[in-house]
């Protein structure tokens, strides 16, 4: 609509543009809030460097460490091999779509028949891996700085455990997802990566 005021036209946003404007406004607000936190830390660090250099060094001092050569194992196993594991589980979902008649873009089948249940179980085997892989990967990269061999071992076991867990789930009976002893190690390896990352955090902080 156009409203004439002082000889000109006032153009109000169309309904279709309002969600976009709202999203941009919310993004600007969140950016301003987080930028404020970062600027506060920057100011605090500079002030502390002047008033109390020792305290500044404790918090913002540079940690002295180098990557061990065995960190290459973490890259090969935890980053590359584990990523291909997740991709392979995705391929299994694609195959199940054809067999069970669940076309894209449906995430899950809505029926209650055997094929629908089968597809949903296969899909869940992939989705659950996606839910935990980001945290496992980040913790592995951090933990591998100090414990590269152990973290790479966790990665190799994680791959095997993920396939075992997904295969059990794909049987159509969710209770069988832990039927294989390997499947239970999806959590052992995740906690192991967290423990390794915690060890690195303690060393960076100078507590060990």
């Amino acid at each position: 609509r156009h409203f004439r005021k002082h000889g000109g036209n006032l153009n109000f946003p169309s309904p279709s543009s309002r969600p976009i404007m709202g999203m941009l406004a919310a993004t600007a607000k969140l950016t301003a809030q987080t930028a404020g936190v970062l600027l506060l830390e920057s100011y605090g660090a500079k002030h502390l460097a002047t008033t109390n250099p020792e305290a500044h060094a404790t918090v913002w001092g540079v940690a002295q460490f180098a990557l061990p050569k065995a960190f290459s194992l973490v890259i090969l196993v935890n980053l590359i091999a584990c990523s291909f594991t997740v991709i392979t589980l995705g391929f299994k979902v694609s195959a199940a779509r054809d067999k069970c008649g669940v076309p894209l873009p449906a995430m899950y089948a809505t029926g209650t028949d055997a094929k629908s249940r089968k597809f949903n179980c296969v899909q869940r085997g992939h989705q659950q891996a996606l839910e935990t892989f980001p945290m496992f990967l980040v913790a592995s990269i951090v933990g591998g700085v100090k414990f590269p061999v152990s973290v790479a071992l966790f990665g190799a076991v994680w791959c095997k455990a993920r396939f075992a867990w997904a295969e059990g789930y794909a049987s159509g009976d969710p209770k069988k997802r832990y039927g294989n002893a390997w499947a239970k190690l999806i959590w052992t390896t995740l906690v192991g990566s967290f423990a390794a990352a915690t060890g690195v955090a303690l060393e960076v902080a100078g507590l060990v």
Side-chain angles (χ1 to χ4, degrees), residues 42-98:
S42 179
Y43 171 78
K46 292 179 180 179
H47 178 71
L48 197 60
T50 303
T51 59
N52 193 334
E54 184 177 348
H56 176 272
T58 300
V59 180
W60 286 281
V62 179
Q64 299 296 327
F65 62 86
L67 288 178
K69 291 183 178 180
F71 189 78
S72 59
L73 294 175
V74 177
I75 298 174
L76 292 172
V77 177
N78 300 62
L79 175 59
I80 298 176
C82 290
S83 293
F84 272 106
T85 295
V86 175
I87 292 172
T88 302
L89 293 176
F91 288 156
K92 291 181 180 293
V93 175
S94 297
R97 285 187 183 280
D98 295 335

Side-chain angles (χ1 to χ4, degrees), residues 134-157:
M135 63 185 80
F136 175 72
L137 178 58
V138 173
S140 294
I141 292 174
V142 174
V145 171
K146 183 176 175 61
F147 308 100
V149 176
S150 296
V151 168
L153 176 62
F154 294 155
V157 174

Side-chain angles (χ1 to χ4, degrees), residues 100-120:
C100 301
V102 183
L104 288 168
M107 180 71 76
Y108 290 98
T110 56
T112 58
D113 57 289
K115 284 189 174 182
S116 295
R117 183 179 178 84
K118 171 75 172 180
F119 173 78
N120 288 342

Side-chain angles (χ1 to χ4, degrees), residues 156-179:
V157 174
W158 187 90
C159 292
K160 173 66 175 178
R162 271 294 157 198
F163 281 125
W165 194 89
E167 183 178 353
Y169 217 143
S171 66
D173 182 1
K175 294 181 180 180
K176 292 183 179 180
R177 66 191 189 278
Y178 290 112

